[in-house]
Amino acid sequence: MNSINYQGQTIQPSKLVCIGRNYVAHIEELNNSIPSQPVIFMKPNSAISDEISFDSKDEVHYEGEICLLIKHQRISAVGFGLDLTKRNVQAKLKQKGLPWERAKAFDGSAQFSEFIPFNDNLESLRLELSINGELKQQGGYDLMLFKPDVILNDVKGNFTLEDGDIIMTGTPSGVGAVNAGDEFVGKVFSGDNLLVEHVWVVK
Ligand code: ZN
């Protein structure tokens, strides 16, 4: 089983519950419609990796996301995550109304920073993703269609959350292609206070 880091402990999430279409500007950039309830999909434990490898045959996009680590059915920690997506594959699946796993749940499609304990105000959470020194994505609680507490209740109403499971809260606008050699720097803030930062260099 793959693991993530939480205060020096390794934790093995049984599943990653992901929210799609949670930021209006991102919905618009992909020409999707605004959902009336959270759009949910999942990634398995096998999707977790800490290395991004360039994929020359598919158009892999980055999606920077605020991620919530669950313990005792509650949000216990936050981290920065990348929901890597084969955008060309997803576009075909969407057209046919088929499930997204081929585009979203492949090995290496979930990348995480360390997770930091968090029991502060969720409203202060925001993220930034820079690539090669250029700010590409920013957003957070204010811009989310469905806020973390609403997402958590909705998810819990449908799926049992085990300790160590992760909710990925969706991506703001500014998604784009992953290229070999790119340096990704993902950050999560509480207001102006940097909570966690992680650097990836694409192989
Ligand atoms: Zn996403």
Side-chain angles (χ1 to χ4, degrees):
M1 292 280 276
N2 294 311
S3 56
I4 56 103
N5 294 315
Y6 170 67
Q7 292 199 299
Q9 297 172 48
T10 56
I11 289 181
Q12 298 175 326
S14 79
K15 58 185 171 297
L16 317 171
V17 182
C18 306
I19 305 303
R21 304 180 188 173
N22 204 25
Y23 289 82
V24 172
H26 173 64
I27 293 170
E28 287 170 350
E29 74 182 346
L30 294 187
N31 289 317
N32 287 318
S33 52
I34 292 182
S36 56
Q37 62 178 0
V39 173
I40 295 176
F41 61 95
M42 290 199 209
K43 294 177 190 264
N45 175 280
S46 55
I48 298 171
S49 169
D50 50 15
E51 260 185 29
I52 308 176
S53 301
F54 177 65
D55 174 348
S56 57
K57 65 181 196 305
D58 285 305
E59 184 193 350
V60 175
H61 272 199
Y62 58 83
E63 298 189 353
E65 313 205 356
I66 294 171
C67 296
L68 310 170
L69 182 68
I70 302 301
K71 189 167 189 190
H72 300 146
Q73 305 286 311
R74 300 172 62 172
I75 297 164
S76 69
V78 299
F80 181 93
L82 288 169
D83 163 18
L84 298 181
T85 304
K86 292 179 179 174
R87 194 67 75 199
N88 54 336
V89 175
Q90 189 196 26
K92 283 185 197 156
L93 296 171
K94 273 162 62 177
Q95 233 172 28
K96 296 181 182 170
L98 292 170
W100 294 355
E101 275 80 355
R102 287 175 183 276
K104 287 283 198 183
F106 56 92
D107 289 359
S109 63
Q111 308 278 338
F112 298 104
S113 71
E114 181 190 357
F115 280 77
I116 303 297
F118 189 75
N119 27 30
D120 203 0
N121 187 356
L122 290 167
E123 295 178 21
S124 64
L125 285 176
R126 63 185 186 88
L127 69 74
E128 288 182 5
L129 173 64
S130 298
I131 303 176
N132 304 327
E134 198 182 319
L135 183 62
K136 293 287 191 184
Q137 290 194 284
Q138 56 184 325
Y141 185 97
D142 290 352
L143 293 173
M144 290 180 186
L145 273 179
F146 301 101
K147 310 302 185 189
D149 45 344
V150 172
I151 293 170
L152 181 63
N153 279 328
D154 186 42
V155 169
K156 283 200 300 199
N158 289 285
F159 315 103
T160 297
L161 287 169
E162 314 284 354
D163 286 356
D165 284 353
I166 291 170
I167 296 178
M168 303 184 76
T169 59
T171 198
S173 62
V175 300
V178 173
N179 292 299
D182 281 350
E183 184 189 72
F184 285 72
V185 181
K187 297 177 181 175
V188 176
F189 297 84
S190 174
D192 292 330
N193 179 23
L194 178 64
L195 297 175
V196 65
E197 173 176 356
H198 194 88
V199 180
W200 292 264
V201 177
V202 179
K203 296 205 168 158

